[in-house]
Each structure stands twice: as structure tokens, then as C-alpha cells.
Amino acid sequence: MPAGHGLRSRTRDLFSRPFRKKGYIPLTVYLRTYKIGDYVDVKVNGAVHKGMPHKFYHGRTGRVWNVTKRAVGVEVNKQVGGRIIKKRIHVRVEHLQPSRCTEEFRLRKKKNDELKAQAKARGEVISTKRQPEGPKPGFMVEGAQLETVTPIPYDVVNDLKGGY
Amino acid sequence: MAFVKAQKTKAYFKRFQVKFKRRREGKTDYRARIRLINQDKNKYNTPKYRFVVRFSNKDIVAQIISASITGDMVLAAAYSHELPQFGLEVGLTNYAAAYCTGLLLARRTLKKLEMDEEYEGNEEATGEDYSVEPAETRRPFRALLDVGLVRTTTGNRVFGALKGALDGGLDIPHSDKRFAGFSKDSKQLDAEVHRKYIYGGHVAAYMRTLMEDEPEKYQLHFSEYIKRGIEPDDMQELYKKVHAAIRADPTAKKSEKQPPKEHKRYNLRKMTYEERKAKLIERLQALNSAADDDEDDE
């Protein structure tokens, strides 16, 4: 009998719960709120059968475009053939996590706003652009001892010692 | 000792998954909790309040709680050990006391939210099924009954507390199926019987039967009632006065006791590294001196 290609095919390990984390899921999952425009990670929880996305979306990150009673609409990119389509799926909250992909950006934005406000108070112009890591500075090597290595001339007797 | 096959091997412990802490303690029913707390996502941060009723052997706790990720927040609480302030000093865990506690909590929350003028609730406790009618300006305060791990049988005291809260003016979805006095055969709530329970009529009836049949047991069982001179016929008047006192001023009173400056220690303090080393040295010296004494004796 050939292997089927059903909705949950090949998900034996993907959807299984991790070791010693089976059973009831912690309640913070239900207490989180999602607003339109937030970024969320889709991570399927095999213990909850309703509102499961297709296995393709497991591990994808997308933006929220709709909020309903128990589920959230997420817009995820999918490559189909030669183009990338924005696909809109509805996923129950048990299969979502708030994404930290924009966290670094938001913190940096806040810090930059503070720095700019301070600079404005002082009356100077600063650049808050990130600079890429440059080449390492030059340095002197410490404790260096010079050892000159020269090749030794070929000695037939020594090499044939092993027997021939 | 006979050879016993080890039941719990190392492999057993390695694979053992502990249940949630409150489940291990046997205090929280997570299946019910998930369903009580779950708020519609399109209501965002609107809190969903639970009317929590818990009974201990000597006390009744009624609280209005909303859940959050950092922990549940209690909006208002009422305990049956506060009822002496309102004139009820004995029988603090019976059906009537549960009614009083529920009523106290309801009036307290409404006063806190400044809704107590609008929602008077049911002034006269008749035992009939009463639901709050929405007033013009604000909608009634809604909470969901959280029973905990109690078996919800007809006539359970949690439903006494529920009735108290309903008559106090809270909007709690319910049915009259589990109130005391609901008859399974006729599928109707007998309001008279329920009213008897709310005013402690069942306790008074027991008191009367004991007084006639077993006076010694009566003295033993109802000693506190006798000490305060409460007769079976006074019960209804007593509870009516308590209800009135609760409605008059339900605010919580802060206790004047200061918290103790030094806390009593309930478990042994752990020794520091130095203390443990010192103790070891002491033990070794004691052992050496004992060994020396033995050698000398021999």
C-alpha cells in the first residue's frame, strides 16, 4: 500500500510533544493577547487538535491580520513555484508564540530615541546608525622567539634502516 | 531481608513527568480552570472575573478573581470569619453563613465599583430564583462561579454562597437545579424550602429534635449556641439582622494587629559551609578522644 499524502502525513515527530512535557498545557498560552500587526511564530502543539495549521507553517513567522474568539489570523509567506505568496491562515492560540524577531529592533528604537533626545538637549548632532564590525586593530606579538627551520639533507642510510 | 525486585528503578524516575504543582497538591482542577479563564481574543485585555468559593473546616472564603500571566488578581474577598462583625458568631460554615458570605462579597464589590446604588439585588431573601435586571446606565457586574474540586450536589453550600451573591446584585449565570429545595421529581425549586435553608431553618429543626430526644448531645453539639443564648426560634431574626447589617456597611475593616517583627521559623535553618566543617571537626575529635579512652582502658 502506498504512503498517503494526507494533511498530517509525515508529522509523527514534528507534532509530538517534547519529552516530559505531555498533558495539560500551561495557562499563559491562553492569557496572551495578540493585536493586529504583531509578529507571531507558528509552533504546532500536538495536544490540541483544533485549529492546527498545516505542517508547512510549523516554524514560520508571520503578522497578525485578524483576531477572532479563539484563534488568530496570521499572514505567512510561502514560496510557490517561482514566486512568494502571502498566505492568510487562521490558527488557534495554542499553536502560537509571540515572536521576538522585532524585539531587538524595538529596544534599539527606544534607546535611539532617548539618545537623540539627550543630544538635542545638549545641542549636538549624533548619528545613531549601527556600524559594521571593522577589521581588528594591529598588535605586536608578545614573547616571540625566532626559530629558524632548515631542511636536513637526505640521508640514505637512515631511511633504509627499517629493512629492505 | 528477602530479595524484593525494585519497583521504582532509576529509569522510572528518569522518565517521570511531574504534574503541575497545584495538581500535585490537589488544589486546582486545570481542566475547569482553562475553561473559566479563557477570554475571547477579540476582547483583548478585558478581565474575566471568577466568583471563587472555597470551604475549609472552619471558614468560608469567597473572592472575585481575574487571571493574569503574573498571577491571579483578587478584586474583592469576603471571609466567614468576618461575620462576627455583623452579628453572627456561631455556625460560620453552614448554608446560612455561606449565603451571608456571598452577600457580603457582592455588596463589597459593588460598593468598590460604585455600583451599589444601582444594583440593590434582592432585599428580602425569599429563596426564589432571582437574576439581576440590567439597569439603565451600567451593565451588571458579571462573574463566573468557580466551585473548585467540590462535588456539585443539590443543596451544596457553594450554591448557598452563589445565592447570596445573586441576591447581593452580581450577575452570575446559573440555574436553580442545584439550590437546596430543588426536587428532582417535580423538576422545580421549592422556594419555601430554600428560604428555610437560607435562614438556618434546617439547623433550627435539628436543634429542636435534639433538645427533645437527646439533651446531652444537644448540650455537646450546640454548646456555643447555648453559651450565646441562641434558641432555634431566634435563628431567622438573627440572620435577618445580619443581612441588614451587611447591606448597611459591607466595607472591609483592616485589622489592628501588627505583623510580627521576627517570623517564627517552621523548619530548621540550613548550616553554612563553615558551620558544617566545624561540626565535622568536632565529631572527629570526639571520635578520636573516645578511641583514645578505649585504648587506655584496654
Side-chain angles (χ1 to χ4, degrees), chain B residues 34-52:
Chain B
I34 288 181
R35 284 156 177 77
L36 280 169
I37 283 179
N38 208 353
Q39 174 67 291
D40 297 352
K41 290 292 151 247
N42 44 13
K43 292 189 184 162
Y44 297 101
N45 280 321
T46 315
K48 201 166 191 177
Y49 293 105
R50 312 180 277 146
F51 170 58
V52 171

Side-chain angles (χ1 to χ4, degrees), chain A residues 35-56:
Chain A
K35 303 225 288 286
I36 296 183
D38 288 351
Y39 282 92
V40 288
D41 299 336
V42 175
K43 188 173 169 206
V44 174
N45 186 324
V48 180
H49 303 139
K50 290 195 164 176
M52 247 196 215
H54 185 259
K55 66 175 185 283
F56 167 79

Side-chain angles (χ1 to χ4, degrees), chain A residues 22 24 30 34 68-69, chain B residues 17 31 34 37 40-41 44:
Chain A
K22 301 201 195 351
Y24 277 109
Y30 295 99
Y34 297 99
T68 65
K69 230 169 79 142
Chain B
Q17 178 186 341
R31 182 178 188 278
I34 288 181
I37 283 179
D40 297 352
K41 290 292 151 247
Y44 297 101

